[in-house]
Amino acid sequence: MENRKRMTVVLSLTLIFIVAFTFQAQAGQTYKLGLSLAITGPTSDAGDPYSKGVEDYFNYVNDMKLLGDDKIDCTIRDDQYKTDITKRNFEDFLDQGIVFYLNYSTGSTLALKKDFDEEKMPTIPASFHAGNLVDSSYIFLPIASYSAQAIGLAEYVVNNHKGSTPKVAMFIHPSAFGRGPVSDVEKAVAAGLDMEIVEVVEHGKDLDNTAMLKRLNSKGVQYVISQTIQSPVATMLKDASRLGMVAKTFGEPPPTLSPRSPVQVRTPSWPWPRSTGVMIRLPTPIITPMALWWPRLLPKSFDAPRPGA
Amino acid sequence: MTTLSIDNVTLTFGGLNALSDVSMIIEPGLITSIIGPNGAGKTSILNCISGFYHPTAGEIRYGDRRLTHASPHQVTKLGIARAFQNLELFSGLSVLDNLMLARHTNLKYNFLQAMIYVGKASRLEAENRAYVEGVIDFMELEPYRNSTVGNLAYGIQKRVEVARALTLDPQLLLLDEPMAGMNIEEKEDVVRFIMDIIKERNTTIILVEHDLGVVMDISDYIHVLDFGEVIGSGTPEEVAANEKVIEAYIGED
Amino acid sequence: MSYFFQLVVSGIVVGSIYALAALGFVLIYKSSKVLNIAHGQIIAAGAFIAYALTGWVGIPIYISFLLSMVITFFLAMSVERIFLRRLIGEPIISVIMVTIGLMSIIDGLIFLTPFGSVNFSFPQFLPQELISFGGVSISWTQLVGVIVTVLMIGGFSWFFKKSTVGISMRAVSDDQFASMSVGISVPRVFGLAWATAGLSAAAAGGIIGNITGLNFETLQAFGITVFPVVILGGLDSILGAVVAGIIMGVIQQFASGYLDGNWGLNGTAEVLPYIILLIILLFKPHGLFGIHEIERV
Amino acid sequence: MSTNRWLATGNYFTSYQDEQRLFFTHLDRTILTMFLLLLFVWPLLFTLSNKYMLVIDNILIAVVAIIGLNIVTGFAGLISIGHAAFVGIGAYTVASFSRTLGDSHVIITHAWPLMIVLSGLTGAVFGAIVGLPAMRLKHLYLAIATLSFQMIFTWTINFLEFFNQGQTISISRVFWFTGKLGRKDHYLFWYYVLLVVVVLSGFMVRNLLRTRYGRCLSAVRDNDRAADAMGMHPGLTKVYAFGLAGFFAGVAGALHAYVYRGVGFESFTLHHSITYLAMAIVGGLGTLNGSFWGPAAIITLELQVETLAEHAGQILPSTWNLATALKPFSFGLVIVLFLMFEPRGIANWWRIVRSYTKLWPFRY
């Protein structure tokens, strides 16, 4: 379970922070935490399991007495991916006296950045958008930012590519979390990464990506780095394989259907990236959706440019 | 006093002539009736005059103003009002509001004054309200002043329709079958109102009506339409003697 | 040139799905003059039912598609029965608002299931080989989708023109009182209109689900994108729905094929349908094929 | 005029101007004045948590927006599925100043009343532009034109660099006579501003509705052909309705920008447009007091469901999905039930209560 593993990483780090920030606390105390995230609405395909993970994890922490006599009480609220509800939830959490805040979306993290600073409220967002860290001293990213991940991928492409400068396109979500890494990858390229970014595609809710793929092909794009949520990538992959671009996954293997289903999904030509970490090798393009959040995939040499640092 | 003249008006709907080459002159101060069998184009003429339809060919002039391409609200501003055949009331509003709407162009306060209300807006509202009350009085609508129009009886609604047209203070009043679907007593009421309008307000009236008895009794001048063409015009006596008219109404043999 | 034709072909594929979804709107509008805002949700429901039947119950996929159509048929019928039957005679605005409410209700119901937040995809049951001709390729899934769409639209047009029920549906749309007086049960016709719309929605849902995978957000968004199609076609014309669907599909493909990536534009396929819709409405206020009624006063 | 000016027992008007009065007795006027006074005074007596201050601010913002929506949809009968976009226009007016001048420029922090009015005017201009198709389009075609505007708005904000591509554009805290507002006073301060705006808009619209500028709206709703024959241009009247609605939406948007101290496109999506419609319906379309009931009811409902969801989540962890699904479900159910059983909205209950108290004990 990759999700679980990832969650564990995030949450252990969270825990360290909490302990670090509340060192003066007495034994047998209950720490209040707040998490506001999208359990319904856009991106709930990630938010829903995330909320369950958080809930289970803190239950685990309390049951296993990882904090000794201390307990963690984490209130989880659905914000439907809406910034104004997130803000309301945050104010509510403040009223309840939380000591640590967990946020979710990039948009709300950026919107509430000032509030975190004013309230001196340590925050870990589920969004690893590098821009979260700009002008803020209370937002923490427990793992590499999206930018760092994207640059890591770019380096992976460069290291494994044979021949002349690889031509790369970026397929991104039309929002801050998709757009954020683009400029950082561009910076890396400017700093000497041997790669050419041919085009940055901000996808919509397209039912068919033929046009986009054909266009990229005609521009000689060899790899596509994706930074977005699951379903657009899935649509694109299907179209890619239809257009004869052989798709290859790396990372987690695509899931199979229930054993009773009459047809099994064949790997790797018809992948459904359930986890967000899938890389596809087309005869030309490589498609890598967002969040290679596994540190093991990040090249050792990698040194993420931390914006603002 | 202004004369309405209709010159060679043709109105076509999808290749079908609703009116073909219709000409008539409406003299001021008279009751002019337009009669004819169903589908003869009576209402179409009124629609052309009041701007709901625009003639395909020909011209309509009111005094020296051309109405051929005017929209209804422009026509209304010239002092031509109309009562509709199939009630076109603001059925969700009260009788009072319906009539106040007819004073729309007379309420000459601006938006800011309306927002503040005290002062000019209030004064003008009261003045026009008084005018409306005059019409309510004239049309004997007092009991229904605050009732929602949609809930009133058909005959009353017809009367409100006429009252609303009157509230516009028209020089030329177009009445489209004001007596349709009424019984004898109600018809007599309407006839009385029409006669009063002519007498007290000195308004020109164009009447479209099916009831030949009424038309013959009260009209000063009659135009007879059939299949979109004028087949006879004249005083009631002349029309009654016109063979073509008799033919159209009674049919050949 | 093959680029151009590939765009056209993909556009037609997407467009025909639009047409099928638009058909559901047209069916309801034609008989009851109601624009069903919740149609996207019904499409999603149809697709999810088909998946649940095959993925969880284990029914063979073809049968589960048919079953989902039948279920959605009755589902839509009962929606009409429960929520809209009482509103016959109410102003159209409130009926449309009810469909907006329905949209939320169905959303809530879907969030009760895993479909609300998890992505699924239909098992593949069609050959994976591509059909290519002259540099233009199309998958079996898409081809079958188009064929089903054509069949359904053809069937519905025939149904409207020839069958007794179809004729009574047209009669009701023309004049409710007159049709009542000749013995047509107006509520039954409304129910039937919703039911058939549900049927076509399930078909559309199945096809989209096969092409893009089952993601609630995508299906919802699809329901909204169909609006410009319906309005462009003229609300009460099946032919209009087909033509407008294909126009929109092709336009979207052209937009992302020729506009995106140039002049700093991106995601134009999402906004262009609406811009074109506005422009066309300025010149043809009743859509391309809508009936322009002469107002009688 | 009746001799008892506190409890009139009947209609004693002696002039038409008498009849124009908003309050028929001193009692009515006193009750409203007391109520307004209470609204202004209560925060001084006890403090509410920030969350609930924000909720109340939010309700008041929605009230301003709904007054606008009620003008176009309730009174003029034109369905607008793009009201959130107009609110967004207002918010982004402030945001564009913040973008060009910097978020703590004097114009934004000191001249905020001006910014609010300016946003309203921008909203009005956009409203009128979007309303232009109303000159030719009718009914559903028009509704979809407003939907198109909503989509085009979202796209434009989302893709234009100037609007920070939909990411939050921050707005600085404003200054009052006492200096810069702190975090503590923020919501309270805006509560008062909002209250003033709401009361002003309420009276403004109440006055408009009894003049020709209000009557013409109902006229085009009920029968635009007859309206035409009354000498008003039905098309222009509709454009005016959209413009007026746009004004209130714009004001609401600017207030939203200030209260939330930032503008991001997520607050002005289609979903919000639909929520606004729901508020208008539940409150009562075509009534002024419905504009107050609707937002209060819908936002309270949302909070209640949230609390319920939380409790359910604590007792039965596995019901998380059940609990969160309740939100859209209850929202939709409320709209549908209101339309089915009380299409005139809460305003109708209010009317019933009022007419009951009017007759009580002996007024007739």
Side-chain angles (χ1 to χ4, degrees):
Chain A
M1 284 305 291
E2 210 54 57
N3 266 334
R4 184 58 58 88
K5 215 188 287 172
R6 185 190 318 153
M7 208 78 73
T8 316
V9 174
V10 173
L11 294 173
S12 331
L13 284 162
T14 310
L15 201 64
I16 294 167
F17 272 108
I18 296 159
V19 175
F21 274 90
T22 53
F23 56 89
Q24 72 275 43
Q26 305 285 310
Q29 219 172 331
T30 299
Y31 301 109
K32 280 198 77 79
L33 265 67
L35 163 64
S36 173
L37 83 177
I39 301 174
T40 56
T43 72
S44 53
D45 53 351
D48 186 38
Y50 192 97
S51 75
K52 291 198 170 82
V54 171
E55 195 182 4
D56 287 349
Y57 179 74
F58 286 125
N59 284 341
Y60 171 80
V61 168
N62 290 339
D63 293 347
M64 301 303 285
K65 294 199 181 297
L66 292 188
L67 294 178
D69 288 337
D70 293 353
K71 281 204 181 314
I72 287 180
D73 172 18
C74 183
T75 314
I76 302 174
R77 286 270 164 79
D78 181 16
D79 59 28
Q80 300 166 301
Y81 206 67
K82 289 181 194 158
T83 308
D84 31 1
I85 301 186
T86 312
K87 176 139 184 158
R88 196 179 72 210
N89 287 341
F90 179 63
E91 291 289 355
D92 191 15
F93 290 145
L94 286 183
D95 294 340
Q96 292 180 11
I98 54 165
V99 295
F100 200 94
Y101 177 58
L102 300 171
N103 200 31
Y104 182 72
S105 69
T106 310
S108 59
T109 309
L110 291 174
L112 293 176
K113 205 177 346 185
K114 281 187 173 175
D115 289 289
F116 300 149
D117 266 27
E118 281 173 1
E119 286 292 324
K120 300 196 183 350
M121 177 58 64
T123 301
I124 293 186
S127 142
F128 306 131
H129 175 51
N132 288 342
L133 303 176
V134 181
D135 297 333
S136 83
S137 16
Y138 285 88
I139 297 177
F140 301 91
L141 304 189
I143 62 169
S145 69
Y146 293 140
S147 298
Q149 295 169 19
I151 293 171
L153 266 174
E155 287 184 0
Y156 180 89
V157 166
V158 171
N159 292 342
N160 289 280
H161 180 74
K162 292 176 188 72
S164 58
T165 307
K167 291 187 166 183
V168 175
M170 294 190 75
F171 182 71
I172 60 167
H173 195 263
S175 71
F177 109 77
R179 290 175 183 129
V182 175
S183 57
D184 291 324
V185 174
E186 279 165 353
K187 268 181 219 156
V189 172
L193 191 64
D194 184 27
M195 182 176 99
E196 184 192 346
I197 300 176
V198 180
E199 193 182 326
V200 178
V201 182
E202 297 188 2
H203 65 75
K205 290 177 177 108
D206 303 334
L207 290 188
D208 191 311
N209 288 304
T210 311
M212 192 258 312
L213 287 166
K214 280 250 168 185
R215 186 179 70 234
L216 294 185
N217 234 353
S218 70
K219 286 184 177 177
V221 170
Q222 292 162 300
Y223 301 90
V224 176
I225 293 177
S226 298
Q227 165 65 13
T228 180
I229 48 176
Q230 294 175 25
S231 60
V233 178
T235 311
M236 177 177 66
L237 294 184
K238 288 195 172 191
D239 288 330
S241 77
R242 177 166 57 76
L243 290 170
M245 306 170 183
V246 180
K248 194 177 169 192
T249 60
F250 85 62
E252 191 178 1
T256 50
L257 283 163
S258 89
R260 267 181 297 167
S261 76
V263 191
Q264 289 289 325
V265 173
R266 269 190 290 154
T267 37
S269 62
W270 203 256
W272 176 261
R274 188 179 47 125
S275 114
T276 42
V278 181
M279 184 158 103
I280 313 294
R281 175 178 279 277
L282 309 182
T284 40
I286 282 188
I287 303 174
T288 34
M290 87 184 220
L292 280 170
W293 354 33
W294 315 294
R296 69 182 154 91
L297 278 180
L298 297 174
K300 290 253 159 57
S301 66
F302 169 70
D303 179 29
R306 192 186 139 120
Chain B
M1 295 304 273
T2 332
T3 311
L4 179 80
S5 53
I6 298 169
D7 299 330
N8 309 95
V9 161
T10 300
L11 180 69
T12 315
F13 285 125
L16 214 70
N17 277 0
L19 297 173
S20 40
D21 209 18
V22 170
S23 298
M24 47 179 82
I25 303 262
I26 314 291
E27 295 290 347
L30 300 181
I31 299 181
T32 307
S33 293
I34 300 174
I35 60 170
N38 277 328
K42 303 179 298 275
T43 301
S44 294
I45 288 221
L46 291 197
N47 279 336
C48 284
I49 298 171
S50 53
F52 285 98
Y53 295 165
H54 300 301
T56 326
E59 202 173 65
I60 301 173
R61 269 175 299 132
Y62 184 60
D64 50 0
R65 297 291 295 271
R66 289 182 61 208
L67 301 186
T68 322
H69 298 292
S71 344
H73 56 98
Q74 290 165 330
V75 173
T76 305
K77 283 176 185 155
L78 294 178
I80 301 177
R82 157 152 191 209
F84 296 88
Q85 174 186 2
N86 304 316
L87 301 165
E88 295 283 349
L89 292 163
F90 305 109
S91 47
L93 306 181
S94 67
V95 173
L96 206 54
D97 281 341
N98 266 272
L99 301 192
M100 280 305 280
L101 269 164
R103 300 304 294 169
H104 187 78
T105 47
N106 296 63
L107 293 163
K108 290 195 195 313
Y109 45 77
N110 65 31
F111 189 73
L112 274 177
Q113 287 162 335
M115 257 171 6
I116 301 161
Y117 202 76
V118 282
K120 192 173 182 188
S122 164
R123 200 186 70 238
L124 281 177
E125 282 286 324
E127 278 172 22
N128 281 281
R129 175 70 200 280
Y131 185 91
V132 164
E133 284 298 330
V135 177
I136 289 181
D137 190 35
F138 184 79
M139 293 299 289
E140 293 164 22
L141 285 168
E142 292 93 340
Y144 314 107
R145 198 182 277 125
N146 287 315
S147 328
T148 306
V149 167
N151 303 337
L152 292 174
Y154 178 75
I156 309 290
Q157 291 199 23
K158 276 269 179 194
R159 223 194 284 167
V160 176
E161 182 81 52
V162 176
R164 195 181 59 182
L166 273 185
T167 315
L168 287 164
D169 195 18
Q171 293 177 311
L172 174 61
L173 180 60
L174 315 179
L175 298 176
D176 196 352
E177 305 202 10
M179 290 165 241
M182 291 189 172
N183 59 28
I184 293 283
E185 286 84 0
E186 286 171 328
K187 281 184 184 177
E188 280 173 357
D189 276 349
V190 176
V191 168
R192 188 162 50 78
F193 287 131
I194 293 175
M195 301 314 287
D196 284 351
I197 294 169
I198 279 285
K199 231 182 279 163
E200 292 180 18
R201 299 180 156 250
N202 202 13
T203 309
T204 313
I205 290 179
I206 302 180
L207 177 68
V208 166
E209 187 47 60
H210 265 301
D211 191 320
L212 280 183
V214 173
V215 170
M216 291 296 173
D217 277 352
I218 65 172
S219 306
D220 297 307
Y221 205 80
I222 297 177
H223 296 282
V224 189
L225 283 183
D226 195 16
F227 293 112
E229 288 176 48
V230 182
I231 55 167
S233 306
T235 59
E237 296 75 27
E238 286 167 8
V239 167
N242 187 324
E243 279 190 13
K244 266 186 173 171
V245 176
I246 297 168
E247 202 174 281
Y249 265 85
I250 303 170
E252 286 174 83
D253 298 323
Chain C
M1 219 38 200
S2 86
Y3 182 49
F4 176 81
F5 284 116
Q6 179 70 59
L7 292 188
V8 172
V9 168
S10 307
I12 291 174
V13 171
V14 176
S16 66
I17 309 169
Y18 281 144
L20 186 55
L23 182 70
F25 285 96
V26 175
L27 287 171
I28 292 175
Y29 184 83
K30 243 174 138 59
S31 58
S32 58
K33 295 271 178 287
V34 170
L35 189 67
N36 175 23
I37 311 255
H39 199 65
Q41 272 66 17
I42 297 181
I43 291 175
F48 293 149
I49 289 170
Y51 180 85
L53 289 176
T54 179
W56 298 345
V57 183
I59 295 171
I61 189 147
Y62 295 102
I63 299 173
S64 71
F65 278 132
L66 287 178
L67 264 181
S68 86
M69 277 156 78
V70 173
I71 294 173
T72 321
F73 179 91
F74 287 107
L75 207 69
M77 194 185 243
S78 43
V79 162
E80 195 276 338
R81 186 70 207 232
I82 297 167
F83 295 107
L84 289 125
R85 185 69 52 94
R86 299 169 164 275
L87 290 162
I88 293 177
E90 293 281 332
I92 289 298
I93 177 169
S94 22
V95 186
I96 292 170
M97 296 296 174
V98 166
T99 65
I100 288 180
L102 274 176
M103 185 166 95
S104 262
I105 292 181
I106 302 175
D107 274 358
L109 291 177
I110 288 176
F111 279 125
L112 281 183
T113 66
F115 295 111
S117 48
V118 182
N119 293 322
F120 291 91
S121 84
F122 280 115
Q124 29 181 133
F125 56 98
L126 291 166
Q128 291 306 294
E129 291 76 43
L130 290 171
I131 312 160
S132 296
F133 44 94
V136 175
S137 50
I138 178 172
S139 71
W140 276 98
T141 324
Q142 290 182 320
L143 186 65
V144 170
V146 173
I147 291 169
V148 171
T149 305
V150 169
L151 286 179
M152 290 209 58
I153 290 174
F156 273 113
S157 325
W158 176 85
F159 171 77
F160 250 104
K161 285 226 171 65
K162 296 282 159 51
S163 75
T164 331
V165 188
I167 290 169
S168 60
M169 281 168 91
R170 281 195 299 166
V172 169
S173 87
D174 207 43
D175 189 332
Q176 289 186 17
F177 286 104
S179 7
M180 269 189 237
S181 66
V182 295
I184 297 171
S185 158
V186 173
R188 229 197 76 202
V189 166
F190 283 179
L192 216 60
W194 275 77
T196 45
L199 190 96
S200 70
I207 295 170
I208 305 166
N210 267 299
I211 292 181
T212 69
L214 293 169
N215 174 275
F216 186 38
E217 228 194 300
T218 313
L219 290 168
Q220 268 179 320
F222 179 80
I224 300 291
T225 324
V226 179
F227 281 113
V229 173
V230 186
I231 296 290
L232 183 65
L235 271 173
D236 44 11
S237 157
I238 293 183
L239 176 69
V242 175
V243 174
I246 288 173
I247 289 178
M248 282 301 187
V250 174
I251 283 176
Q252 283 198 323
Q253 285 296 310
F254 279 178
S256 50
Y258 289 116
L259 292 180
D260 282 5
N262 303 320
W263 312 292
L265 288 171
N266 255 320
T268 44
E270 260 181 85
V271 73
L272 208 61
Y274 297 99
I275 295 175
I276 286 175
L277 175 75
L278 278 185
I279 293 170
I280 289 182
L281 281 185
L282 283 180
F283 296 103
K284 287 190 75 76
H286 291 262
L288 293 177
F289 293 89
I291 298 164
H292 179 79
E293 284 172 19
I294 296 168
E295 293 194 343
R296 301 201 155 273
V297 266
Chain D
M1 198 86 253
S2 128
T3 44
N4 182 348
R5 302 201 63 176
W6 286 89
L7 279 170
T9 51
N11 181 342
Y12 293 102
F13 300 127
T14 49
S15 76
Y16 293 125
Q17 239 135 359
D18 264 0
E19 214 182 8
Q20 292 170 354
R21 284 182 303 132
L22 283 179
F23 307 102
F24 287 108
T25 60
H26 284 351
L27 189 64
D28 291 348
R29 186 195 309 248
T30 315
I31 289 174
L32 187 75
T33 319
M34 295 296 284
F35 178 65
L36 286 182
L37 211 62
L38 191 73
L39 286 182
F40 277 95
V41 166
W42 73 261
L44 304 176
L45 302 178
F46 65 99
T47 38
L48 210 56
S49 69
N50 273 339
K51 178 197 178 186
Y52 284 100
M53 278 318 284
L54 179 61
V55 168
I56 290 173
D57 286 358
N58 213 359
I59 290 177
L60 291 177
I61 293 172
V63 167
V64 180
I66 297 300
I67 289 179
L69 185 60
N70 239 329
I71 286 171
V72 74
T73 302
F75 290 104
L78 309 161
I79 304 180
S80 169
I81 321 185
H83 201 64
F86 293 118
V87 178
I89 292 280
Y92 271 97
T93 308
V94 182
S96 10
F97 274 87
S98 164
R99 252 329 238 183
T100 39
L101 302 174
D103 68 345
S104 41
H105 191 271
V106 179
I107 291 189
I108 292 168
T109 54
H110 289 72
W112 51 267
L114 193 76
M115 287 304 304
I116 292 172
V117 175
L118 191 69
S119 304
L121 294 178
T122 320
V125 170
F126 273 90
I129 292 172
V130 175
L132 277 182
M135 306 274 271
R136 291 197 67 187
L137 299 185
K138 288 199 168 161
H139 312 304
L140 295 174
Y141 292 95
L142 187 62
I144 302 299
T146 59
L147 174 75
S148 301
F149 174 66
Q150 170 76 61
M151 300 319 247
I152 293 170
F153 169 81
T154 321
W155 186 86
T156 310
I157 295 299
N158 217 349
F159 283 93
L160 281 195
E161 186 55 48
F162 179 71
F163 295 111
N164 207 8
Q165 297 187 316
Q167 287 179 55
T168 305
I169 299 172
S170 69
I171 313 284
S172 199
R173 288 192 196 284
V174 298
F175 281 80
W176 184 236
F177 295 115
T178 52
K180 192 175 184 177
L181 285 168
R183 184 180 169 82
K184 272 208 167 122
D185 314 324
H186 183 77
Y187 295 123
L188 186 66
F189 172 75
W190 286 106
Y191 168 75
Y192 280 117
V193 175
L194 278 161
L195 206 57
V196 170
V197 172
V198 165
V199 171
L200 281 182
S201 330
F203 274 103
M204 194 175 118
V205 172
R206 184 75 192 76
N207 278 339
L208 276 188
L209 287 176
R210 49 189 184 149
T211 64
R212 74 189 194 112
Y213 291 99
R215 273 193 299 264
C216 64
L217 299 174
S218 321
V220 292
R221 174 194 63 197
D222 270 18
N223 191 332
D224 60 354
R225 286 185 302 264
D228 206 346
M230 293 302 107
M232 62 189 84
H233 192 304
L236 282 183
T237 308
K238 287 174 190 170
V239 172
Y240 148 75
F242 269 106
L244 200 56
F247 176 80
F248 286 105
V251 169
L255 290 165
H256 181 281
Y258 276 115
V259 169
Y260 283 90
R261 295 199 294 132
V263 182
F265 89 103
E266 284 113 334
S267 305
F268 314 105
T269 57
L270 179 64
H271 186 96
H272 288 81
S273 286
I274 288 171
T275 311
Y276 283 138
L277 269 179
M279 288 175 178
I281 293 169
V282 169
L285 276 175
T287 55
L288 183 59
N289 63 54
S291 313
F292 303 94
W293 301 119
I298 292 283
I299 292 176
T300 314
L301 172 83
E302 202 181 5
L303 281 177
Q304 291 305 320
V305 172
E306 207 167 83
T307 320
L308 181 72
E310 203 166 306
H311 284 304
Q314 275 167 2
I315 300 161
L316 309 158
S318 56
T319 56
W320 251 116
N321 273 341
L322 172 79
T324 39
L326 275 178
K327 221 171 187 176
F329 184 78
S330 58
F331 177 72
L333 201 64
V334 163
I335 303 180
V336 169
L337 290 181
F338 261 95
L339 284 166
M340 281 163 74
F341 299 107
E342 187 57 275
R344 281 173 295 181
I346 300 177
N348 197 40
W349 301 348
W350 175 242
R351 193 183 58 80
I352 292 166
V353 169
R354 261 183 67 116
S355 59
Y356 177 79
T357 52
K358 213 171 217 165
L359 294 178
W360 183 88
F362 300 119
R363 290 166 77 186
Y364 48 86

